[in-house]
Structures are given as structure tokens and as C-alpha cells.
Amino acid sequence: ACYSAMMVISWLWGRKIYRVHYNMRKIGLYTMLAALLYYLSWLGLFDNLPSQLLFNTALILLYVFLVYLFERKHLMRRVTR
């Protein structure tokens, strides 16, 4: 909670001193997606460890794939420069 409070205070103070145009919608989307996937991994849907680890790895790969899908236009512009 303390780190979250420091982050919010720094962000608010930074908006006043040095404005950076963050895409808050995308940041919120990625945060909510990560929280959802974390919750799914926390449920413990499998009884044995190898299956749970495989499922958690699949969730991480799903997150990376979804971020790639959302950011591929931006990434391709960076690569073709």
C-alpha cells in the first residue's frame, strides 16, 4: 500500500512539474489483464504441481501474446526505422 501511495503521489506531483502524456487507458488495461491472469493462477485449478506450472506458464505466454497484439503497430514502426 505504501508503494502504491508513493507511486500516485509521484505521478500527481510529476503532472504538475513535468507533464508526460501517459496512455492511462492502456496502462489500466494491461494492469487489469495482469490482475485477471494472476487471479486465474491463484485459483489453483490443478492438483499436481507440473500441471499448475504448465498452466501458469501458458498464462504468462498469453499475456505476452496479447500485449504483442495490442502493440504490434507501434513495435513495427520502431523496427522499420
Side-chain angles (χ1 to χ4, degrees):
C2 181
Y3 290 119
S4 298
M6 287 190 302
M7 178 191 69
V8 170
I9 291 169
S10 295
W11 178 67
L12 290 173
W13 190 15
R15 286 182 65 185
K16 181 180 178 184
I17 304 297
Y18 181 73
R19 182 109 174 119
V20 176
H21 300 284
Y22 293 110
N23 188 342
M24 297 306 289
R25 183 175 173 197
K26 249 184 201 178
I27 292 171
L29 174 72
Y30 292 146
T31 303
M32 294 304 292
L33 179 62
L36 173 71
L37 294 177
Y38 173 76
Y39 177 72
L40 287 175
S41 74
W42 181 77
L43 285 176
L45 301 174
F46 299 97
D47 291 335
N48 58 0
L49 183 62
S51 297
Q52 187 66 41
L53 291 175
L54 187 63
F55 179 70
N56 291 347
T57 302
L59 289 177
I60 291 171
L61 292 174
L62 176 65
Y63 183 80
V64 170
F65 179 71
L66 290 174
V67 169
Y68 171 75
L69 284 179
F70 293 138
E71 297 291 332
R72 68 178 167 218
K73 288 180 185 176
H74 181 68
L75 290 171
M76 291 304 152
R77 279 191 302 210
R78 293 257 185 194
V79 170
T80 57
R81 280 188 188 179

